[in-house]
Amino acid sequence: SSFLYAQNYGNEWIDYEKQYFKIHVSQDGIYKITYSQLLAAGIPVNVIDPRGIQLFYKGEEQYIYIHGEGSSGIFDPSGYIEFYGIRNRGDQDEAFFDENSNRVNNDYSFYNDTSAYFITWDFSTGNRRLTPINQTDYAPYIANAQAYCLKNIRKNYTSTYYPASTRALYTQSEGWFDNLTITETSPVTKTIVIPEIYSTSQNSKIEIAAVGAPASYPTSNVPHRLKVDFLGQTRIDETYYGYDFVRETINIPANQLSSSIQFTFTANDATQPDVNDRNAVSYIDITYPYTWSFETTDYFEFTLPVNTSTTKDYLEISGFNAGSTVYLYDLTNHERIVVNNVSGVLKALVNHTDTERKMVIINQSGDKAVDRISKISPNNKFTDEGTEKQKADYRIVTHNRGRSGAQQ
């Protein structure tokens, strides 16, 4: 027999003596919460040392920037908190699947697009902060500047729910997919615009997923033959069965891409002509070399490749809405980098060239407002279920909507 000891339940980050407030976000981006918004939500920023503020997501403390933090222990009323937040994806759906490998689209949750971040505070002054960087010694690094960065475009097609097998657990090809069904008589076309391609022989990566969508029976062996054509060739030609799915990655040199790519999905299984071959698109994901012209936006995400030729990456960015202030966020190494506007060209130096870095550039208009800030309980504290369960023979887990009926 085997025994389990000291299991982790995911709540080890909680201090049951501290107060917590929940911050709701439903998009990826840099979020800004002002002093006055924190105070209005019930967080006593007028009396707490801002150096003690912490932000948690899925049990891990996040790196944040606090304007007006200082070293006096007093939060400047004109200050604010900034952090990079992400929408909820499909990670937590894993527990409901018969096998984790059967989740088709890990980027989209079955239930909810909103993530919960938790803000709290203590008396420590060594909590996680973004490191401020301001470097202007550009000259030694210009010769080894990278010719391009990497941009990702992902299109999730999620307008229709497909139940797939009627088994109790989620299984293959169950989820939210495209409303247009690919059949033998109805091909489906998706067009994706690919701006500012940097012409190079370096590969771009295109990942495509599509699912078998027969009628909802406990099992199915309906045959599928799926073809996907784009850029003048058949790139995917797969035969599969029942509720199985296709997920393939195609590497194509960037100089063979087009600024607008048309993907044509067809289904033409010939082995059982009396059975309708039904399929649906799940997603198309494209990562490709991108120029340093950033589409006249206030906010832009990109990836900076490894650069073994230098110790600092020199960046020269055009086409971005500079405004009065611009910052780069190195999300990989937790740095907040000042960007200098030199005659309309944005310049910056980025450290850590030995690793690929996820970056965000943002001006003063590019930050997002959180969806809302809410209390987690009347006293703003979590309940320690490990202690509470010793006071009762059992506990009931339910939803608020179920209470009124039970009390009748």
Side-chain angles (χ1 to χ4, degrees), residues 59-112:
E60 182 176 351
E61 185 179 358
Q62 303 298 293
Y63 287 85
I64 62 177
Y65 168 75
I66 302 183
H67 180 76
E69 182 175 38
S71 58
S72 66
I74 299 173
F75 199 161
D76 186 336
S78 65
Y80 52 85
I81 297 174
E82 279 185 350
F83 68 96
Y84 180 72
I86 60 173
R87 63 176 170 82
N88 185 43
R89 286 168 165 80
D91 323 34
Q92 293 171 311
D93 297 349
E94 175 184 342
F96 301 101
F97 273 81
D98 55 352
E99 295 181 24
N100 185 36
S101 60
N102 284 336
R103 287 191 299 156
V104 181
N105 186 356
N106 298 336
D107 191 59
Y108 190 81
S109 171
F110 273 45
Y111 300 101
N112 190 357

Side-chain angles (χ1 to χ4, degrees), residues 154-185:
R154 186 182 180 99
K155 300 293 185 182
N156 292 323
Y157 301 97
T158 58
S159 53
T160 299
Y161 185 77
Y162 290 78
S165 168
T166 55
R167 295 170 58 192
L169 292 171
Y170 293 142
T171 186
Q172 287 178 318
S173 294
E174 184 163 2
W176 294 91
F177 308 121
D178 192 36
N179 63 320
L180 299 175
T181 305
I182 309 160
T183 67
E184 296 176 25
T185 57

